Amino acid sequence: MTTLAALLGPLVLPCLATTPAVAADSVPLLAQAATPALSAPPSGGSANEAPAPEAGSDMQAPPAAAPVRMALLLPNRSGAFGAAADAVRTGFLTAYARQKDNILLAIVETGDSAQDMQRAYDEASAKYDILIGPLSRSAVTSVAQSGRVTKPTIALAQPDLAGEAETPLPPLMLTAGLSIDEEARQVANWVEKEKAPGKIFAISTNVAWQKRAARAFQLRARQLGLQVETLELSTPSNALSAPGLAQLAKRVEQEKPALIFVALDASQTVQLRNAVGNELPLYGTSQINPFTLNRSNPNDKLPELDGVRLIDIPWQLQADNVAVARYPRPASNEGERPNADLARLYALGIDAYRVAYGIAQQRPSFDMDGVTGRLSVNMANGGTTYFQRQETQAIYQDGWPMPIADQY
């Protein structure tokens, strides 16, 4: 992936000592991806503070207002979360470069574990006005359960809390991370408006995110009065089980379900479609879209998925979206398919800064057309804190996912 160091170089200066990295407590899918070639952090520091705000941008803060101090909390670049952290950092600084009036920004790097991030969070809380992070589910869970959230906090992942009922978050905490579970619930809402009568199959493997997505879809669909049966396929040799697919095809023929929700990736969905045929409607999450809008290879398509419906963020689907068109897209090597998950994290970084900036302007609640979806934010003192994201509905056409005309 081509370097984006030019975006970072003029924006950061060393200010705090490095927190030693430790072994990761969990490794998400995105942490396995290749890290973009970014400039190394300055020697001897882990928090990097941006220069004083520049005058003359579109939304000038009142001259007498004190600068708002923000801290972006990320795992360090050498750890298991390095690729994901780099993508978020780059997107965040891209948005900051466009709109930095009266903002003092620091980037605080720490180890991968929840304990390291909790320590960094506690220290940053004493120094900064708005905190953005952590990035991993385990670290967000630790902060959410710590009882020490005293400053506005925009978490970059969803907490991993036990139980199916929603657990209240601290009053000053928003969880803005991209969520496959939430995508699955949005697909259920979509299906309820479109589906024919009959049972729905929700298909996954035993991979954790897929099981969570299938379960989230099932729970939301049942709330809407739909009948859903979850089915789990085995994956010998990293492919869906041929006997399992044959058994599924037989059940489809006998029971004639209304549709299938696929909590699978794109290649697995191709295998499933080949087994059950093209007549049965399939719906899925962003994980069945391995593409970005950097489509330099016109032959890199998935025509096998034409007609399959999915949810994804505008950054991956809508080049003509006003918010999407405002920001530069990281370059990729000619003919190479960019990593779609890292592209989503870059977009998350953009929207995380824009939400933080809105809070810095003392806007207790606001809506925003973001690059990750239509965002609704509320952080009123003493009121109900919430963050909602509505992603874009799409359908595969000519091998690529395209936004549908009528969005629900």
Side-chain angles (χ1 to χ4, degrees), residues 8 12 15-21 38-48 71-79 81-82 85-86 89 93 106-112 116-117 119-121 123-124 128 132:
L8 304 179
V12 292
C15 103
L16 293 180
T18 303
T19 303
L38 300 176
S39 58
S43 175
S46 69
N48 304 307
L72 175 61
L73 303 164
L74 292 173
N76 61 47
R77 293 172 174 174
S78 61
F81 297 93
D86 266 345
R89 177 191 292 106
L93 291 176
I107 299 177
V108 180
E109 294 185 346
T110 186
D112 291 337
D116 281 352
M117 187 56 76
R119 189 180 308 113
Y121 178 89
E123 292 174 358
Y128 301 101
I132 303 94

Side-chain angles (χ1 to χ4, degrees), residues 25 243 266 332:
D25 58 329
S332 59

Side-chain angles (χ1 to χ4, degrees), residues 49 66-71 102-106 124-132 151 360:
E49 189 161 325
V68 176
R69 301 163 299 172
M70 290 185 190
N102 218 39
I103 302 297
L104 294 176
L105 175 62
S125 292
K127 300 176 182 178
Y128 301 101
D129 304 309
I130 300 174
L131 308 178
I132 303 94
K151 299 287 180 66

Side-chain angles (χ1 to χ4, degrees), residues 140-221:
V140 172
T141 303
S142 175
V143 170
Q145 295 179 333
S146 69
R148 298 195 292 275
V149 178
T150 59
K151 299 287 180 66
T153 299
I154 303 166
L156 299 173
Q158 303 298 318
D160 194 6
L161 301 174
E164 296 175 355
E166 287 191 14
T167 302
L169 293 169
L172 292 176
M173 188 177 201
L174 303 175
T175 54
L178 299 173
S179 168
I180 298 295
D181 305 32
E182 178 56 28
E183 288 183 353
R185 287 187 282 269
Q186 290 185 25
V187 173
N189 293 338
W190 183 11
V191 160
E192 190 268 337
K193 294 178 173 65
E194 288 198 339
K195 84 169 211 55
K199 179 190 292 187
I200 299 172
F201 289 159
I203 309 294
S204 73
T205 72
N206 64 354
V207 174
W209 71 262
Q210 296 187 1
K211 293 172 70 173
R212 287 202 319 270
R215 184 61 175 156
F217 175 87
Q218 182 187 47
L219 290 173
R220 178 55 184 155

